[in-house]
Amino acid sequence: MSSGYGLAGGPSRCFPFWQELLACYVVNTNSEDIAGAKKCIPALEDYYECLHHRKEKARAIEMQRAYRRAEAAHPRESAPRPGAIRNLGLLDKDEDTKDVLGSNRSLKAK
């Protein structure tokens, strides 16, 4: 909030960025010349990022895209078959159940 007070009564999460931006404007501008405000662009970007999180959201979306591309390029070798996921060995799939139980019994015997 621009008042500097957050919802819980303390300082808002972006108030330090606002103070930094205001201090930059006070130091770099005067009543006759506002050309020094260009020096405050990084502080202004930080303040806007704190308010809206646009860069953070874009970065998260790009990370999700990269993860999905990598996952599609290198599928898991031990991924279960779609049929195995659907039946889970419960509904009229005695062969699958025997395969699963047989492999578990052989592991227990070792």
Side-chain angles (χ1 to χ4, degrees):
M1 299 185 153
S2 61
S3 65
Y5 293 102
L7 295 175
S12 67
R13 70 170 192 262
C14 299
F15 188 64
F17 292 102
W18 171 251
Q19 286 180 320
E20 181 181 336
L21 177 63
L22 193 59
C24 181
Y25 276 124
V26 168
V27 170
N28 293 310
T29 61
N30 58 34
S31 59
E32 294 103 31
D33 185 27
I34 60 167
K38 291 179 183 178
K39 295 178 182 177
C40 300
I41 291 175
L44 180 64
E45 288 178 357
D46 288 344
Y47 178 61
Y48 282 157
E49 176 61 22
C50 181
L51 287 175
H52 305 293
H53 302 288
R54 288 186 179 139
K55 291 179 185 177
E56 181 182 359
K57 289 174 189 171
R59 193 175 306 124
I61 289 169
E62 185 56 38
M63 287 174 58
Q64 287 174 347
R65 282 186 193 143
Y67 178 75
R68 289 185 184 123
R69 279 189 299 239
E71 202 173 53
H74 305 290
R76 296 186 306 174
E77 294 174 7
S78 62
R81 298 182 327 249
I85 293 171
R86 249 183 271 126
N87 66 38
L88 297 174
L90 298 175
L91 300 174
D92 298 327
K93 299 292 181 181
D94 295 331
E95 298 146 6
D96 292 342
T97 304
K98 288 177 185 175
D99 290 342
V100 170
L101 292 177
S103 64
N104 286 343
R105 288 183 184 148
S106 65
L107 292 174
K108 289 179 183 177
K110 289 182 180 180

